[in-house]
Amino acid sequence: MKYLEAFVPVVCAAGGGQGQAADHAFATRVLRKLRGRFEIPFDLIQGLRDDLPGLWAPFGTVPHRSLERLDEEIHLRRGV
């Protein structure tokens, strides 16, 4: 949380928005930890992928970076 308190204002000052800052933080701090964690069921990752755009609606943006991470993870798991 401390990270976000410092990070979000910097992104906003640089011309970005809260949604962009949250997307970056979620993708780099949370979703990167999914890599190689095969004990997490595929359907949960797919469900998160499906639900994430709706969860991001209050920001008025699309979480592009997070969706890319989830798509990569889904692709890797389908190949296994």
Side-chain angles (χ1 to χ4, degrees):
M1 195 62 155
K2 201 172 201 178
Y3 169 76
L4 287 177
E5 290 173 0
F7 182 68
V8 172
V10 171
V11 173
C12 291
Q18 290 180 343
Q20 183 182 10
D23 179 33
H24 175 80
F26 190 64
T28 58
R29 295 279 177 138
V30 178
L31 295 180
R32 72 178 175 86
K33 294 179 182 181
L34 286 177
R35 179 102 22 188
R37 302 284 308 266
F38 290 97
E39 69 273 12
I40 300 171
F42 175 82
D43 56 330
L44 289 178
I45 294 172
Q46 183 66 53
L48 177 59
R49 168 61 175 92
D50 295 341
D51 294 342
L52 198 59
L55 296 170
W56 234 258
F59 289 118
T61 63
V62 176
H64 295 289
R65 183 173 271 171
S66 296
L67 292 174
E68 287 174 11
R69 288 269 170 137
L70 287 166
D71 288 341
E72 289 171 8
E73 191 62 28
I74 289 167
H75 178 75
L76 286 172
R77 288 169 188 249
R78 281 191 178 146
V80 171

